[in-house]
Amino acid sequence: MRVSLGGVELRNFEKPDEANLGGETFVAIRKFPGGTRSIQFMGADYRPITWNGFFIGQDAYQRMLKIGNMRTAGKPVTFATDIFSFPVVITSFYPDVKTEHRIGFSITLERVFDEKGGGAAPKDSIDKAALAIAKKSPSTPAASTTTTYVVQPGDTLSKIAARLKKDPNKWPEIASNPKNQQALKNGPHNLRVGVTLYV
């Protein structure tokens, strides 16, 4: 498989045996009485790509210098194979020079999402697919849309907000609606079964 780093085509023993893809998803989870949860996506993080290899041959020392110069420059370079390509920064590069024709090394790459320090981070292929699916799903009603709801046994405002507004944290919007003052005269946490709420 073809592998390149910053435009340098890696050869046999220079290439990684595998690419460490995937990583973590940062989420904020809030739990509410009754088992309702609010999960907010805070962004994706990817594990570093790291491997050991050897520069071998007449130009081993020059190739080692090229990769070393990419690390010291500290700028994003492209890590590419036959099936993926994305920007990375070389966070560590440790060559062990035994002879000028055989140089062992270890290297670590970190994926780059936002090179300018602002704006939306570029999406990888998995993120793009998830975004496409989200765009195809029906859009949520506008916040100004008002519907009525008859309170059922076991209902709470957060459960109703989760069901109808897709967010349990929006229950204060229901409680503060002037049309609900009579229905909530005993307080927002003492719902009476059968009353009608404007949501």
Side-chain angles (χ1 to χ4, degrees), residues 80-99:
T81 72
D82 292 331
I83 55 176
F84 58 78
S85 173
F86 44 76
V88 297
V89 170
I90 302 172
T91 55
S92 70
F93 177 60
Y94 298 108
D96 296 315
V97 181
K98 299 190 188 310
T99 72

Side-chain angles (χ1 to χ4, degrees), residues 120-133:
K123 306 271 192 256
D124 71 2
S125 56
I126 296 172
D127 293 333
K128 286 178 183 175
L131 190 59
I133 291 169

Side-chain angles (χ1 to χ4, degrees), residues 14 42 77 143 149 167 181:
E14 301 168 357
M42 306 296 284
V77 295
Y149 177 79
D167 185 351
Q181 297 311 304

Side-chain angles (χ1 to χ4, degrees), residues 91-110:
T91 55
S92 70
F93 177 60
Y94 298 108
D96 296 315
V97 181
K98 299 190 188 310
T99 72
E100 63 177 330
H101 303 304
R102 181 179 171 85
I103 302 169
F105 68 89
S106 66
I107 189 168
T108 301
L109 312 176
E110 287 283 350

Side-chain angles (χ1 to χ4, degrees), residues 2 12-13 15 21 28 36 60 70 87-88 92-93 106 116 124 126 148 154 160 166 169-170 177 183 189 193:
R2 182 188 65 83
N12 297 328
F13 299 106
K15 296 190 281 188
L21 301 180
T36 303
M70 288 181 210
V88 297
S92 70
F93 177 60
S106 66
K116 297 179 181 177
D124 71 2
I126 296 172
T148 58
I160 296 169
K166 308 301 183 204
N169 296 321
K170 292 188 175 181
N177 188 327
H189 304 296
V193 174

Side-chain angles (χ1 to χ4, degrees), residues 20-65:
N20 306 321
L21 301 180
E24 298 180 12
T25 300
F26 295 115
V27 294
I29 302 175
R30 294 186 208 161
K31 298 179 182 178
F32 298 92
T36 303
R37 289 184 177 201
S38 170
I39 302 177
Q40 295 174 317
F41 175 73
M42 306 296 284
D45 187 27
Y46 288 82
R47 62 180 175 163
I49 299 171
T50 183
W51 76 92
N52 298 319
F54 286 94
F55 296 106
I56 297 175
Q58 297 294 323
D59 62 347
Y61 190 76
Q62 286 74 29
R63 293 174 67 75
M64 180 270 292
L65 287 178

Side-chain angles (χ1 to χ4, degrees), residues 146-157 159-161 163-164 174 180 183 191-199:
T146 302
T147 59
T148 58
Y149 177 79
V150 178
V151 175
Q152 304 297 312
D155 273 344
T156 64
L157 286 184
K159 284 183 181 179
I160 296 169
R163 189 177 304 124
L164 300 179
I174 301 171
N180 292 331
L191 294 182
R192 288 177 294 143
V193 174
V195 299
T196 300
L197 295 177
Y198 291 86
V199 181

